[in-house]
Amino acid sequence: ALKKSAVDYMHPEVGVTTTDATVFGRNYFNRPSAPETEEDEFADERAEILAEASALKKLATDYMHPEVGVTATDGAAFGRNYFNRASAPEMEDDEDAEERVLVLAEAAALKKSAMDYMHPEVGVTSADGACFGRNYFNRPSAPETEDDEDAEERARVLAEAAALKKSAMDYMHPEVGVTS
């Protein structure tokens, strides 16, 4: 009984058959209080629109995915090879093709170097665990850096020198006058 119910549910196109003459049912689609159904011409127009949309989707998929290729179901369909015909333009030699590949690879490497140079904020990524770098600032043979005390003293000395320079300029050019 369960299998029969599942088959009836999964295949509504089969319909219901009965042998009992006293069995009847009500048609809920054609009763006066039923919601309006779509007219035939609107249904045909809807079917045409959906068919056009499906064709457009197929064309868009074919355009966006050229790697899929073209499949033909008609045995009479054929095409002409325009590359191997006698009147086709000459193809590139193997040497020229290899040289072009090398030039393009070199151009790509130069472009990458230029991008690395122009965008230092991107940083360097490495997937090799054996890669390492040397810190040239903290090595024993690096020139000594200035301590904080020395830097403060240097700043004081430079400030004094600037004040002395201003005094000397005021002394040497009395025509400038005093501004307050």
Side-chain angles (χ1 to χ4, degrees), residues 140-157:
S141 62
E144 291 187 23
T145 56
E146 196 173 39
D147 294 346
D148 289 339
E149 294 174 10
D150 295 338
E152 290 172 5
E153 186 174 345
R154 178 192 303 265
R156 277 195 308 271
V157 168

Side-chain angles (χ1 to χ4, degrees), residues 73-125:
T73 57
D74 188 7
F78 61 92
R80 181 174 177 193
N81 187 348
Y82 290 95
F83 302 104
N84 293 336
R85 68 184 196 278
S87 62
E90 286 191 31
M91 294 188 56
E92 188 174 44
D93 293 334
D94 289 339
E95 290 178 11
D96 294 338
E98 290 172 5
E99 185 175 350
R100 182 169 40 80
V101 168
L102 290 174
V103 168
L104 289 175
E106 187 176 334
L110 285 172
K111 179 181 177 184
K112 183 181 180 320
S113 295
M115 291 298 291
D116 292 344
Y117 181 78
M118 293 303 292
H119 298 284
E121 70 275 4
V122 173
V124 178
T125 58

Side-chain angles (χ1 to χ4, degrees), residues 10-152:
M10 292 302 292
H11 298 287
E13 70 275 4
V14 172
V16 179
T17 56
T18 182
T19 57
D20 190 3
T22 60
V23 174
F24 64 92
R26 183 174 177 191
N27 187 346
Y28 289 95
F29 301 106
N30 293 336
R31 69 184 194 280
S33 63
E36 289 187 27
T37 57
E38 195 172 39
E39 295 180 17
D40 286 341
E41 64 184 56
F42 291 133
D44 293 340
E45 187 174 345
R46 177 189 301 264
E48 288 177 16
I49 291 171
L50 290 175
E52 286 179 11
S54 175
L56 284 173
K57 179 182 178 185
K58 183 180 181 322
L59 286 173
T61 303
D62 291 345
Y63 182 79
M64 292 303 293
H65 298 286
E67 69 273 6
V68 172
V70 178
T71 56
T73 57
D74 188 7
F78 61 92
R80 181 174 177 193
N81 187 348
Y82 290 95
F83 302 104
N84 293 336
R85 68 184 196 278
S87 62
E90 286 191 31
M91 294 188 56
E92 188 174 44
D93 293 334
D94 289 339
E95 290 178 11
D96 294 338
E98 290 172 5
E99 185 175 350
R100 182 169 40 80
V101 168
L102 290 174
V103 168
L104 289 175
E106 187 176 334
L110 285 172
K111 179 181 177 184
K112 183 181 180 320
S113 295
M115 291 298 291
D116 292 344
Y117 181 78
M118 293 303 292
H119 298 284
E121 70 275 4
V122 173
V124 178
T125 58
S126 174
D128 190 4
C131 289
F132 58 91
R134 182 174 178 190
N135 188 347
Y136 288 95
F137 302 104
N138 294 335
R139 69 185 194 280
S141 62
E144 291 187 23
T145 56
E146 196 173 39
D147 294 346
D148 289 339
E149 294 174 10
D150 295 338
E152 290 172 5

